[in-house]
C-alpha cells in the first residue's frame, strides 16, 4: 500500500500541485493560481500555494462535500461554489482567469501536474523493484498517466490497472469510445473519481490509451466493502476512491499474479459517511441505496 493518506493535504494531489506552482514565473505567482476541483486538488493547490506565498482561488460544484470545502478554506484559499457539475465550476474558473489574470492549474490534464504524480511511480519502483502490478484509482488519469510513464520507464513489463466506479467513469467510457466523451455525473462513494476528462483533453487520455493495461469498474457495494476492509484489516481511514484497489481484489475482478501495490490515494472522507460504512449502515447515493449485505 502506498499511503498517500499521509500527505499533509490528505491526498496525493499535493505532488502535482506543488510541482506546477513551483514552475510558475514570479509574475504569475504574484497574480495567483486558480483551479476547479472535486476537492482534493483544490486542497492541495491551496496548501502548495500557501507554502510558496501564492494567493489561491478554488472553484467547486455544489456536489462537493462540505468537509472538503472547509478543508480548502482552512488552507487559506478563497472558495467559489457554483453549479451542479465540474463543467459549471470550470466556467466560473475561466471567468476569474480572464477577470483577475490568475493561472489555472487543472487537476490532471497538465504536464507539470502529471509529472508531479509520476513521483509515486518512481518511488514505488525504486523501493520495490520486484513489483509486477500497480492498482491505480482512475478518474481524469493524471495519477495513472504519471505512474505509468515513470513505472514503465523503469520496468516496461509492469502491469498498470486503472480502477473506477461503474457509473460516471469518464476515462473508462472515453477509452471504450476511442475519444474523450462526456458522462453523466452521479453521487458515488468514490466521489474523488467523479468528473469529466475534458472533451479537449491534451495529455492524460493519450497516455492512458497507450499505457494502461486494463480498466476495472466497480459497483458502489464493492467500493463499500473495500472501505470496510481497509478499516477492519488495516485500520486505515481512507476515502472510497482509495479503497478501489482492495475492492477490486475482494470482488475477484483483478487477478493477482505477483507482487502488487495499490495506491491509497487520500483520506478526505466525510466522517459521517465513513462511520456509516464501517458500521454497516445503508448509504443513500442519489437514487441508489447501498447496503453492507
Ligand atoms: C484525484 C483523485 C484520484 C484520481 O486521480 P486522477 O489523476 O484524476 O485520475 C484518486 N483518488 C483520490 C483520493 C483523488 O483525489
Amino acid at each position: 500500500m502506498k499511503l498517500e493518506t499521509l500527505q499533509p493535504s490528505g491526498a496525493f494531489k499535493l505532488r502535482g500541485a506543488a510541482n506546477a506552482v513551483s514552475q510558475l514565473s514570479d509574475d504569475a505567482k504574484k497574480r495567483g493560481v486558480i483551479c476547479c476541483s472535486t476537492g482534493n486538488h483544490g486542497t492541495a493547490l491551496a496548501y502548495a500555494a500557501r507554502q510558496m506565498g501564492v494567493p489561491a482561488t478554488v472553484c467547486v460544484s455544489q456536489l462537493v462535500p462540505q468537509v472538503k470545502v472547509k478543508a480548502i478554506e482552512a488552507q487559506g484559499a478563497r472558495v467559489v461554489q457554483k453549479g451542479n457539475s465540474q463543467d459549471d465550476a470550470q466556467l466560473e474558473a475561466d471567468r476569474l482567469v480572464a477577470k483577475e489574470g490568475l493561472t489555472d492549474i487543472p487537476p490532471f490534464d497538465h504536464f507539470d501536474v502529471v509529472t508531479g504524480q509520476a513521483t509515486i511511480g518512481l518511488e514505488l519502483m525504486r523501493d520495490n523493484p520486484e513489483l509486477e502490478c500497480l492498482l491505480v484509482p482512475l478518474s481524469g488519469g493524471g495519477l495513472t498517466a504519471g505512474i505509468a510513464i515513470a513505472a514503465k520507464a523503469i520496468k516496461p513489463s509492469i502491469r498498470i490497472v486503472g480502477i473506477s466506479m461503474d457509473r460516471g467513469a469518464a476515462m473508462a467510457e472515453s477509452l471504450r469510445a476511442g475519444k474523450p466523451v462526456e458522462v453523466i455525473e452521479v453521487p458515488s462513494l468514490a466521489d474523488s473519481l467523479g468528473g469529466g476528462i475534458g472533451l479537449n483533453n491534451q495529455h492524460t487520455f493519450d497516455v492512458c490509451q497507450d499505457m494502461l493495461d486494463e480498466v476495472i469498474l466497480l459497483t458502489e457495494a464493492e467500493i463499500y466493502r473495500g472501505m470496510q476492509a481497509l478499516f477492519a484489516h488495516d485500520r486505515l481511514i481512507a476515502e472510497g476512491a482509495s479503497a478501489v484497489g482492495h475492492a477490486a481484489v475482494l470482488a475477484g475482478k483483478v487477478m493477482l499474479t505477483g507482487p502488487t501495490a495499490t495506491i491509497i490515494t487520500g483520506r478526505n472522507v466525510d466522517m459521517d459517511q465513513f462511520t456509516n460504512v464501517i458500521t454497516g449502515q445503508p448509504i443513500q447515493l442519489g437514487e441508489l441505496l447501498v447496503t453492507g449485505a
Side-chain angles (χ1 to χ4, degrees):
M1 289 188 281
K2 181 71 166 159
L3 294 183
E4 293 298 301
T5 46
L6 299 177
Q7 293 285 0
S9 69
F12 76 89
K13 288 216 171 56
L14 189 52
R15 295 171 183 262
N19 190 45
V21 175
S22 72
Q23 305 294 321
L24 294 175
S25 69
D26 288 345
D27 195 42
K29 280 182 182 155
K30 214 172 287 163
R31 285 196 303 272
V33 292
I34 185 167
C35 72
C36 167
S37 164
T38 54
N40 283 333
H41 174 65
T43 308
L45 187 69
Y47 184 95
R50 179 141 91 177
Q51 297 294 310
M52 293 180 240
V54 174
T57 301
V58 177
C59 295
V60 299
S61 86
Q62 319 265 22
L63 285 185
V64 170
Q66 281 309 303
V67 63
K68 291 192 171 180
V69 171
K70 291 215 180 75
I72 300 164
E73 283 171 345
Q75 297 301 336
R78 167 174 69 152
V79 178
V80 180
Q81 205 163 10
K82 199 119 191 181
N84 285 314
S85 72
Q86 193 87 345
D87 292 342
D88 290 344
Q90 184 64 53
L91 285 177
E92 180 64 10
D94 294 345
R95 198 182 67 79
L96 291 170
V97 165
K99 190 175 154 220
E100 300 178 8
L102 308 177
T103 301
D104 188 7
I105 310 277
F108 53 86
D109 197 23
H110 185 287
F111 183 84
D112 297 325
V113 172
V114 172
T115 310
Q117 322 306 27
T119 56
I120 295 177
L122 203 59
E123 289 167 15
L124 275 172
M125 300 314 296
R126 278 199 182 146
D127 294 348
N128 314 274
E130 74 283 7
L131 281 171
E132 290 176 12
C133 176
L134 305 180
L135 306 180
V136 188
L138 173 65
S139 178
L143 178 67
T144 304
I147 288 179
I149 290 167
K152 291 204 176 194
I154 295 169
K155 187 172 188 175
S157 66
I158 191 94
R159 179 172 151 229
I160 310 286
V161 180
I163 311 173
S164 304
M165 63 288 189
D166 64 0
R167 299 143 72 237
M171 183 60 83
E173 292 289 329
S174 299
L175 290 171
R176 199 176 309 144
K179 61 175 192 318
V181 295
E182 276 176 339
V183 292
I184 296 165
E185 276 185 63
V186 291
S188 170
L189 284 171
D191 57 279
S192 288
L193 301 185
I197 68 164
L199 289 180
N200 192 24
N201 187 289
Q202 299 293 305
H203 304 280
T204 60
F205 175 75
D206 286 345
V207 178
C208 286
Q209 205 173 30
D210 287 353
M211 294 194 147
L212 199 47
D213 295 291
E214 199 176 329
V215 175
I216 289 171
L217 300 180
L218 298 173
T219 66
E220 295 297 324
E222 286 165 349
I223 298 170
Y224 183 110
R225 285 194 285 277
M227 291 173 77
Q228 285 187 321
L230 266 182
F231 183 73
H233 299 293
D234 302 299
R235 294 294 188 264
L236 282 180
I237 299 174
E239 50 183 286
S242 294
V244 295
H246 279 65
V249 174
L250 282 174
K253 287 185 170 176
V254 61
M255 280 279 293
L256 297 184
T257 52
T260 300
T262 179
I263 325 298
I264 311 298
T265 45
R267 62 164 186 248
N268 297 326
V269 62
D270 181 285
M271 283 311 284
D272 291 338
Q273 184 187 77
F274 181 77
T275 306
N276 284 335
V277 169
I278 61 157
T279 56
Q281 302 302 308
I283 302 277
Q284 192 75 46
L285 294 167
E287 279 153 31
L288 183 71
L289 185 72
V290 187
T291 63

